[in-house]
Amino acid sequence: MQKMAIWKAKQWLSRSFSSMPSNPLRVCVVGSGPAGFYTAEKMLKVQQQAQVDIIDRLPTPFGLVRSGVAPDHPETKIVINQFSRVAQHERCSFFGTVTLGSSISLSELRELYHVVVLAYGAESDRSLGIPGENLKGIHSAREFVWWYNGHPDGRNLDPDLKSTDTAVILGQGNVALDVARILLRPTTELATTDIASHALSALEESSIRKVYLVGRRGPAQAACTAKELREILGLRNLDISIQEPDLILTPDVEEGLTSNRIQRRVYELLSKAATSRPKNDAGLSKRQLHFVFFRKPDSFIESKDRHGHASGVYFEKTVLKGVGPGKQIAIGTGEFEVINCGLVLKSIGYKSIPVDGLPFDHKKGIVPNDRGRVLSDTSGDSILEEGLYVCGWLKRGPTGIVATNLHCAEETVSSISEDLEKGVLSSSSPKPGRDGLLQLLNDRNVRVVSFSDWEKIDSEERKLGSSRNKPREKLATWDELQKYTL
Amino acid sequence: MLISRVAKLGACLAKHLPTRNYAAMSRLPYIQRTTNHHMQPPLSFTKLYNGPMIKKHNLFSTVTANNTSEEGSEQKEAISVTFVDKDGEENHIKVPIGMSMLEAAHENDIELEGACEGSLACSTCHVIVMDVEYYNKLEDATDEENDMLDLAFGLSETSRLGCQVIAKPELDGIRLAIPAATRNFAVDGYVPKPH
C-alpha cells in the first residue's frame, strides 16, 4: 500500500517537474469547496509559475456543493464540472483525507508552502444559548443537511421523524427553506435525486405533516432569496399559511424595501401567498407550511411523557425597532406563546472553527483579514501574517451563494499578486511544497486520497445511482468511501 | 482560430437540424471552449465531431445559405456583438442567430463565467446591456431569471443573464458590459447577517 502511495507521489512529482518552472510558487489551498476551488482557479490563471495543491479533510472534494446544496437542486451542482477541470489542471493537485490541525499543523504547512490560503469554511453552528437547547429532537440545520446529503459525519444523526407530526424550524434563510422543503416535498419527487438513501427511507416513513418556519423579524426582513421561496410556495400538495397582519409595513420599513431588490421581491412573494386562497384539492395527506413572524425563541419545553425529549418551543413575541437607515432589530414584548412540536431544526447560522496558530475573531466568527490577507490580531494597527490568506466563509462569515466565492477568491488572489509585486511576499527561496507535504504525510502514515481516487468513488456512486434511477447514490460512511479508494 | 470558426459554423447549422439534436450539438462547442479556458490540451475538432459529421456540416452549409435565400429573407446569419470586459477592453465578435451570449462568449475566449452552464441556476453570466434601446428589444426577463439577477454583483437597470440573451437580427450591434465584480464586493453579502 505504502509502495503504491510512494509510486503515486513520484508520478505527481515527475509530472510537476516536466511542466513546472524550476522554482515555482508553492501554493496550498485548505478546503475544496467553492471558495477553495475558485481560489485555485484564479491562482493558476494569474500566477503562471504557481503550483497549487488543494487539501481537504474528506476523501470527497467540492465541500458544500456536495454536502450543502439540496439534492433537488441538481443545476446548482453543475459547477462541479468546472471545479473538476481545475483539479485536473497540470499545475494543480487534490489531496483528500488530509486534516489541517491533525494530519498537519498550520505552522508546518506554512513552512512547506510560500502561500497558504485557508478556505475551510464553517463546520460548526451558532447556538441560541437558551434553556433546553440540548434536549433530544433538537438539531442544527447543518447536521440535518449533512444527514440527507450523505456527509460521512452526518450518517449517525438519525433524526426521529416518526414520533411527531410537527416540526419547528428556527430561522427563515435559504437553509431553513431547504430543510423545510425536504421535510414537505413528496418523497416520490426526492427519490430521483441524489439524496442519501438512509434519509429517503426515513422521509418515506415520516409522520411530519406540519412545518413552522419561525423568524424573529417580519416578512420584509426574511433572509431567504426569491428563488428558494418561489420554489417552496409552489410545492405540490402543500397549504401555505401566513398571517396577513404580519404583512403590514411601517413607513420606515416600506421606504427601505424600495432600495432593496431582494427583500422587496421576497416580501411581494409572501404577500401574494398570504392573500391567495388555498387550492381546493385537499387530500387527507395534505401538508402544511406556516410562516411565523415576530417570534423569538425563549426556551425549549421538555416532554412530560418522554424524558429528555423536546415537546415544544416557548416563543416571545417581538416588535421591530429601527437602529439605522433600513435596519431593524427584533425587541421582545414580554408576551409569550408556545408551539408544540417533536422536532426542532435550528437554522440560525454556521460557525467557523479556528485551528492552532490562526488569529481568530470570536465575536465575528471570522479570521481577521484585509482583503484576504490574514492579520495577526483584530486591533487597528495589526501586522500581516506573511504568506497566510483566507477566502470564503472563514474570511467574510457564513453568508452568500456559490458565486459569492468567485468574487471573494478574485479579491484574495489579487491581494496575493499585489504582495508578490511589492515584495511583501517572497517566492525567491525555494520551498518543498507538494514533495515535502507528501513526504511528511507518508512519514505519519496518513493515506492521501488523490483526485483519481475520488473519480473511483464518483463512478461507483453513479453506477449505484443508475440502478435506482438516481443521478448518484452517495457513499455515506467513512468505511464505504475508503473501500472504493483502495 | 480555425476551431472557433468551424465550431461557430457547427452551432449555426445545428439550429437547422431537427430540434432534438439541437441541444446536444450546440452544447459541444461550449464544453470544448471551457476546457481550453483551463489551459488543457485542446480537444481536436475531430474528437468532438467525428469525420462523417464534418462532411455533413460542409454539405449543410450550402443548404443553409440556399434556405435563407429561398425564404426571401434578408436576415443575417450572425449579428455583431461587442463585449466590454472588466478592464474596459472591447471584443467585437459575430454571433450566429439563435446562440446565447454565454455560449458566444465562451466560443470567443471572452471571460464570462458560466457556473451552471446556462441552466438558470446561478448569476455568474451577468451582463449589462449598455444601450437602453437594445435592452428594450429583449424579451422581458422571466421570474426565474429575475430571481437569479437578484443575486448578481453590480446589478444595474439593464442587467440580464448572458445565457438568456439569444442572438436575433434586431440585436445586431448590441454592446454588453461584463461587470467588474470586485468593485461592488463590499456592498452585498459581506457582513454576516444578525439573526
Side-chain angles (χ1 to χ4, degrees), chain A residues 233-239 276-282 286:
Chain A
L233 293 175
L235 278 194
R236 213 153 51 80
N237 206 30
L238 182 69
D239 263 344
S276 63
R277 290 287 101 207
K279 290 157 255 159
N280 255 347
D281 56 351
K286 189 125 188 173

Side-chain angles (χ1 to χ4, degrees), chain A residues 8-251:
Chain A
K8 276 187 182 168
K10 278 186 180 158
Q11 252 199 332
W12 282 320
L13 287 173
S14 65
R15 196 179 67 175
S16 58
F17 282 136
S18 64
S19 58
M20 292 303 294
S22 55
N23 183 19
L25 176 71
R26 310 280 188 182
V27 181
C28 184
V29 177
V30 181
S32 67
F37 265 110
Y38 277 129
T39 300
E41 184 183 36
K42 303 286 164 203
M43 203 68 215
L44 290 163
K45 209 181 107 209
V46 175
Q47 299 292 335
Q48 293 296 323
Q49 83 290 10
Q51 184 192 54
V52 182
D53 297 341
I54 305 173
I55 65 171
D56 200 291
R57 77 173 184 92
L58 295 181
T60 54
F62 313 130
L64 284 187
V65 180
R66 178 174 163 100
S67 60
V69 173
D72 52 350
H73 286 171
E75 324 78 36
T76 311
K77 303 188 195 202
I78 290 175
V79 72
I80 281 176
N81 296 342
Q82 187 175 343
F83 294 161
S84 297
R85 289 191 296 268
V86 174
Q88 287 158 341
H89 189 288
E90 58 174 2
R91 287 185 283 124
C92 187
S93 283
F94 169 81
F95 302 116
T97 59
V98 179
T99 309
L100 177 65
S102 62
S103 313
I104 189 164
S105 72
L106 180 59
S107 59
E108 286 168 334
L109 213 51
R110 292 176 71 183
E111 282 296 310
L112 292 170
Y113 290 88
H114 296 111
V115 175
V116 173
V117 184
L118 302 176
Y120 63 72
E123 290 207 307
S124 184
D125 315 289
R126 287 175 62 179
S127 66
L128 288 161
I130 60 172
E133 206 167 345
N134 295 322
L135 288 171
K136 290 196 182 106
I138 303 173
H139 309 283
S140 75
R142 178 190 57 83
E143 293 172 306
F144 190 71
V145 170
W146 278 13
W147 171 74
Y148 67 62
N149 273 334
H151 189 297
D153 292 342
R155 179 67 184 87
N156 297 321
L157 184 74
D158 209 14
D160 182 0
L161 308 179
K162 285 199 282 192
S163 312
T164 178
D165 66 349
T166 307
V168 164
I169 297 168
L170 301 173
Q172 296 178 326
N174 281 344
V175 176
L177 262 57
D178 274 346
V179 298
R181 198 178 65 250
I182 296 298
L183 285 171
L184 293 167
R185 181 159 224 154
T187 47
T188 47
E189 292 176 17
L190 292 173
T192 52
T193 70
D194 67 0
I195 191 168
S197 57
H198 57 257
L200 182 62
S201 318
L203 288 163
E204 279 167 347
E205 294 175 7
S206 163
S207 55
I208 289 172
R209 293 292 173 269
K210 199 188 282 186
V211 172
Y212 291 89
L213 270 166
V214 188
R216 293 183 184 207
R217 296 180 288 167
Q221 292 84 27
C224 60
T225 60
K227 185 212 175 208
E228 296 262 344
L229 184 58
R230 192 187 304 284
E231 186 179 11
I232 200 162
L233 293 175
L235 278 194
R236 213 153 51 80
N237 206 30
L238 182 69
D239 263 344
I240 308 287
S241 149
I242 298 168
Q243 299 299 314
E244 282 189 56
D246 285 347
L247 292 159
I248 299 166
L249 300 175
T250 64

Side-chain angles (χ1 to χ4, degrees), chain A residues 41 45 230 261 265 407, chain B residues 38 111 146-147 150 153 181:
Chain A
E41 184 183 36
K45 209 181 107 209
R230 192 187 304 284
R261 171 180 161 130
R265 296 184 77 241
H407 311 299
Chain B
H38 294 283
E111 273 190 54
N146 274 321
D147 288 353
D150 277 358
F153 283 92

Side-chain angles (χ1 to χ4, degrees), chain A residues 38 41-42 45 75-76 78-79 81-82 85-86 88-89 126 171 216-217 225-227 230 261-262 265 348 396-397 399 401 403-404 406-408 410-411, chain B residues 34-35 37-40 86 111 113-117 119 121 123-124 143-144 146-151 153 155 181-182 185 189-195:
Chain A
Y38 277 129
E41 184 183 36
K42 303 286 164 203
K45 209 181 107 209
E75 324 78 36
T76 311
I78 290 175
V79 72
N81 296 342
Q82 187 175 343
R85 289 191 296 268
V86 174
Q88 287 158 341
H89 189 288
R126 287 175 62 179
R216 293 183 184 207
R217 296 180 288 167
T225 60
K227 185 212 175 208
R230 192 187 304 284
R261 171 180 161 130
I262 300 180
R265 296 184 77 241
I348 55 165
R396 57 189 167 78
T399 59
I401 53 170
T404 315
L406 178 67
H407 311 299
C408 193
E410 258 171 29
E411 188 185 70
Chain B
T34 45
T35 311
H37 179 66
H38 294 283
M39 292 159 282
Q40 284 185 335
K86 292 172 187 182
E111 273 190 54
E113 291 282 337
C116 78
E117 300 179 2
S119 65
S123 53
T124 55
D143 284 342
E144 287 71 22
N146 274 321
D147 288 353
M148 288 300 130
L149 283 170
D150 277 358
L151 309 170
F153 283 92
L155 189 72
T182 40
F185 183 65
Y190 194 78
V191 186
K193 281 175 196 145
H195 178 66

